[in-house]
């Protein structure tokens, strides 16, 4: 399934061994897989999961990105095996004969033995593990690379010192990649689709923080470029800016579906809004720029206006008024991509935890009503809607008294602020609401003064009143005395512990939990006025 030479993942396997894939590469797979590997790294601490996340991200950066930052949709499975051929073949770009690999790496060399052992390369080809692998005998004598042993085992068989094996393999992959680049490439579907860009923006944004926790001893080998994690934040910002400049109409507050040379005439669907809003919340948390949060709220309002079913709850796939449609449908299946309502419910819960007052309460109420519209589906067949189950869990965990926040107060970009943000992302906290605020930034101050003055007041503690140069609390006096310019407040239901300025102390608090804690939530209490049996 994995493209070992170029990075990224193919669409699905055609056999029971997860060996020979359908070779198409889809953007929506890359974004979701990258996020899954990042979560796996946080859970286990295994550097190989972090490297696989990088592998995907670097493939997308290298081969799937528009010069202005938007991200393309897919690469086809078929291509010409040779420029003289007339017919394209499935997987021609990706499979290898042993002879070709030997000509690139050198026959009978230690690196040839290492590479061919690790990736199960055989003289007569390896696409015969199952009758399903090559039913039309298209891959006779060819190898689809698959790793079926550990690097240590392959190194031992090849006579390569284990400590050198990863570096040697990286060099081999880079040599094969250079040779492969001379082949006719599969067709690139260079549409920029809003929904799929949203999935990828989320991965880039989260990676920019999570990968700061990689061990200092981590090594990087092609197709992992070893880029500093900040590069991924820049990718997320460029992609979001592309969508905003090319595919958003500020007059109507609506998105177009896609871009290829120019914006399409087709207006965006519910999933375009849902996935983009979710990605902008991730981008806000990673960057601390409240402008992304403001746009997420604007898009959420547009999604509600265009797709929300006021009577029954949840989101139609299409906007009202399309004369070509006889029925407006609601997706109730989280398949290759989550349903729009599944993704939107999570974003509504997150917005409800960030935004104060009646607006925040309305976000939470709408999240509950969205989920209640699928009560029967959630009860009878939860496996069909895994993202919706996660959204329900998130809404439960972000509702009082379980609601848990971390407020990071400090100048954006300052090393102290960055270190505290990185500390938050170093611990897997799927229920946590992160609110970074720069009290010295007038745009941030104006946004939070309007949407949650309580967290703005909290953020001002520790940094002190910038207009007078005095601290606003005893906790602030303590932080100021220590010379801190950035502080973190760990709060539950807006009751906060004393601020901390050291990343290690913040990590300890996050891992230790607060009194009651998220684990005390045994059931979701719906907002006032809602019944577990309500449909409307």
């Amino acid at each position: 399934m994995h493209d070992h030479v170029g990075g990224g993942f193919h669409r699905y396997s055609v056999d029971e061994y997860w060996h020979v894939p359908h070779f198409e590469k889809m953007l929506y797979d890359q974004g979701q897989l990258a996020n899954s590997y990042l979560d796996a790294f946080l859970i286990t601490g295994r550097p190989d999961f972090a490297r696989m996340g990088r592998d995907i991200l670097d493939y997308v950066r290298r081969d799937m990105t528009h010069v202005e930052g938007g991200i393309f949709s897919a690469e086809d499975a078929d291509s010409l095996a040779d420029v003289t051929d007339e017919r394209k073949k499935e997987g021609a770009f990706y499979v290898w004969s042993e002879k070709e690999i030997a000509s690139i790496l050198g026959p009978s060399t230690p690196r040839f033995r290492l590479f061919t052992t690790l990736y199960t390369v055989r003289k007569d080809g390896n696409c015969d593990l199952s009758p399903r692998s090559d039913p039309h005998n298209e891959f006779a004598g060819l190898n689809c690379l698959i790793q079926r042993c550990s690097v240590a085992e392959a190194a031992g068989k090849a006579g390569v010192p284990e400590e050198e094996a990863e570096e040697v393999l990286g060099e081999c992959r880079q040599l094969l990649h250079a040779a492969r680049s001379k082949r006719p490439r599969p067709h690139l579907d260079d549409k920029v689709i809003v929904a799929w860009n949203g999935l990828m923006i989320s991965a880039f944004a989260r990676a920019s923080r999570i990968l700061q926790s990689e061990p200092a001893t981590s090594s990087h080998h092609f197709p992992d470029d070893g880029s500093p994690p900040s590069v991924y934040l820049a990718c997320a910002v460029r992609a979001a800016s592309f969508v905003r400049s090319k595919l958003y109409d500020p007059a109507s507050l609506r998105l177009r579906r896609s871009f290829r040379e120019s914006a399409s005439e087709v207006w965006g669907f519910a999933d375009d809004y849902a996935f983009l809003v979710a990605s902008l919340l991730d981008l806000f948390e990673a960057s601390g720029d409240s402008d992304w949060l403001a746009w997420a709220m604007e898009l959420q309002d547009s999604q509600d206006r265009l797709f929300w079913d006021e009577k029954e709850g949840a989101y139609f796939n299409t906007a009202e008024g399309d004369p070509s449609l006889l029925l407006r449908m609601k997706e109730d299946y989280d398949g290759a991509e989550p349903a729009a309502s599944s993704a939107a419910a999570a974003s509504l819960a997150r917005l409800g935890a960030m935004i104060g007052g009646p607006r925040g309460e309305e976000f939470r109420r709408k999240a509950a009503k969205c989920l209640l519209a699928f009560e029967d589906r959630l009860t009878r067949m939860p496996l069909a809607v895994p993202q919706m189950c996660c959204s329900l869990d998130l809404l439960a965990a972000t509702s009082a008294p379980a609601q848990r926040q971390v407020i990071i107060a400090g100048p954006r970009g300052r090393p102290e602020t960055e270190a505290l943000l990185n500390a938050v992302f170093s611990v897997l906290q799927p229920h946590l609401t992160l609110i970074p605020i720069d009290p010295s930034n007038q745009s941030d101050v104006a946004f939070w003064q309007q949407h949650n003055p309580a967290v703005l007041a909290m953020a001002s503690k520790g940094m002190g009143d910038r207009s007078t140069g005095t601290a606003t609390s005893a906790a602030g006096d303590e932080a100021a005395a220590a010379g801190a310019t950035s502080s973190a407040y760990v709060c539950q239901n807006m009751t906060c512990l004393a601020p901390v300025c050291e990343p290690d102390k913040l990590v300890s608090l996050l891992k230790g939990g607060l009194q009651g804690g998220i684990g005390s939530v045994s059931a979701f209490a719906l907002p006032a006025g809602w019944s577990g049996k309500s449909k409307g």
Side-chain angles (χ1 to χ4, degrees), residues 493-525:
N493 196 24
M494 296 311 297
T495 299
C496 301
L497 300 176
V500 295
C501 306
E502 298 83 5
D504 290 347
K505 289 185 179 179
L506 177 56
V507 169
S508 296
L509 284 175
L510 293 175
K511 289 183 175 179
L514 299 180
Q515 185 64 36
I518 296 301
S520 68
V521 181
S522 59
F524 170 48

Side-chain angles (χ1 to χ4, degrees), residues 342 345-346 371 378 387-397 524 526:
S342 298
L371 293 166
L378 283 162
Q387 178 56 56
M388 194 172 291
C389 292
C390 292
S391 298
L392 177 60
D393 179 60
L394 179 63
L395 182 58
F524 170 48
L526 293 171

Side-chain angles (χ1 to χ4, degrees), residues 341-399:
S341 293
S342 298
S347 293
L348 288 165
R350 294 173 72 184
L351 285 167
M354 291 179 182
I355 305 303
R359 187 92 187 271
E361 179 63 22
E362 178 57 27
F363 283 133
R364 289 188 291 273
R365 288 170 64 88
K366 187 154 280 184
K369 189 171 182 178
C370 183
L371 293 166
L372 285 170
F374 298 98
E375 181 181 8
D376 186 67
R377 187 71 156 167
L378 283 162
T379 303
R380 294 177 180 271
M381 198 177 294
L383 287 175
V385 282
Q387 178 56 56
M388 194 172 291
C389 292
C390 292
S391 298
L392 177 60
D393 179 60
L394 179 63
L395 182 58
T398 53
S399 300

Side-chain angles (χ1 to χ4, degrees), residues 51-216:
R51 287 196 297 269
M52 190 58 72
R54 283 177 169 275
D55 170 293
I56 298 168
L57 299 170
D58 290 340
Y59 156 68
V60 172
R61 287 174 56 222
R62 182 173 56 245
D63 293 340
M64 296 283 284
T65 301
H66 187 282
V67 66
E68 294 182 60
I71 307 171
F72 300 134
S73 297
E75 287 193 292
D76 282 357
D78 301 344
S79 61
L80 298 172
D82 187 86
V83 292
T84 61
D85 291 347
E86 295 183 358
R87 186 177 68 87
K88 293 182 177 181
K89 296 180 181 179
E90 168 94 15
F93 187 70
Y94 299 101
V95 294
W96 304 85
S97 69
E98 185 193 58
K99 182 178 180 181
E100 185 177 13
I101 294 174
S103 70
I104 296 167
L105 301 182
S108 303
T109 59
R111 68 181 184 184
F112 172 78
R113 292 195 299 270
L114 174 64
F115 186 89
T116 54
T117 300
L118 183 68
Y119 294 119
T120 324
V121 174
R122 301 201 311 249
K123 185 177 182 179
D124 56 350
N126 70 359
C127 296
D128 56 357
L129 294 180
S130 165
R132 300 176 181 176
S133 300
D134 187 20
H136 304 297
N137 204 35
E138 293 181 286
F139 301 134
L142 297 172
N143 293 273
C144 178
L145 304 182
I146 180 173
Q147 182 177 340
R148 305 194 73 190
C149 66
S150 70
V151 172
E153 290 172 325
K157 293 177 181 178
V160 175
E162 184 178 342
E163 64 274 13
E164 299 175 11
E166 289 286 6
E167 184 174 354
V168 172
L169 287 166
E171 293 170 354
C172 292
R173 290 189 293 264
Q174 195 156 15
L175 287 168
L176 265 67
H177 184 267
R180 194 177 76 175
S181 67
K182 299 174 183 177
R183 298 176 178 178
R185 285 194 70 94
H187 171 72
L188 174 67
D189 182 349
D190 58 358
K191 291 191 304 296
V192 176
I193 295 176
V194 172
W196 300 357
N197 270 249
L199 295 171
M200 202 67 228
I201 291 167
S202 287
F204 275 128
R206 296 183 70 238
S208 72
R209 294 294 176 185
I210 291 171
L211 293 175
Q212 301 282 355
S213 301
E214 284 181 289

Side-chain angles (χ1 to χ4, degrees), residues 199-388:
L199 295 171
M200 202 67 228
I201 291 167
S202 287
F204 275 128
R206 296 183 70 238
S208 72
R209 294 294 176 185
I210 291 171
L211 293 175
Q212 301 282 355
S213 301
E214 284 181 289
T217 55
S218 289
S219 58
H220 302 283
H221 308 287
F222 193 86
D224 166 2
D225 291 344
S227 300
S230 58
V231 166
Y232 300 126
L233 182 59
C235 291
V237 169
R238 291 183 72 229
S241 299
F242 183 97
V243 172
R244 193 172 194 171
S245 64
K246 306 289 188 184
L247 289 163
Y248 183 60
D249 178 13
S252 64
L253 306 180
R254 296 185 70 176
L255 291 165
R256 297 286 183 179
R257 170 67 171 173
S258 63
F259 177 97
R260 186 179 184 277
E261 297 181 351
S262 62
S264 71
E265 294 298 316
V266 178
W267 291 109
F269 300 115
D271 62 342
D272 294 301
Y273 290 82
F275 298 172
L276 183 57
V277 168
S279 74
L280 293 175
L281 297 181
D282 289 329
L283 184 51
F284 159 67
E285 290 186 340
S287 68
D289 188 345
S290 60
D291 185 52
W292 298 120
L293 178 54
W295 191 32
M297 293 173 63
E298 188 172 278
L299 288 169
Q300 186 62 58
D301 289 344
S302 293
Q303 182 180 348
D304 294 346
R305 172 171 52 87
L306 295 166
F307 305 99
W308 179 253
D309 182 351
E310 193 60 47
K311 181 180 179 182
E312 299 291 340
Y315 294 93
F316 293 109
N317 294 342
T318 54
E320 191 174 10
D322 187 338
S324 66
L325 297 175
L326 297 177
L327 292 172
R328 297 174 73 199
M329 305 294 291
K330 294 178 189 173
E331 183 62 66
D332 65 350
Y333 176 65
D334 294 330
E337 307 162 59
S341 293
S342 298
S347 293
L348 288 165
R350 294 173 72 184
L351 285 167
M354 291 179 182
I355 305 303
R359 187 92 187 271
E361 179 63 22
E362 178 57 27
F363 283 133
R364 289 188 291 273
R365 288 170 64 88
K366 187 154 280 184
K369 189 171 182 178
C370 183
L371 293 166
L372 285 170
F374 298 98
E375 181 181 8
D376 186 67
R377 187 71 156 167
L378 283 162
T379 303
R380 294 177 180 271
M381 198 177 294
L383 287 175
V385 282
Q387 178 56 56
M388 194 172 291

Side-chain angles (χ1 to χ4, degrees), residues 35 38-44 206 210 423-432 510-511:
N35 263 326
L38 292 170
D39 287 343
F41 166 63
L42 287 179
I43 293 167
T44 66
R206 296 183 70 238
I210 291 171
V424 175
F425 277 91
S426 71
V427 182
L428 184 65
Q429 298 272 318
H431 301 133
L432 184 72
L510 293 175
K511 289 183 175 179

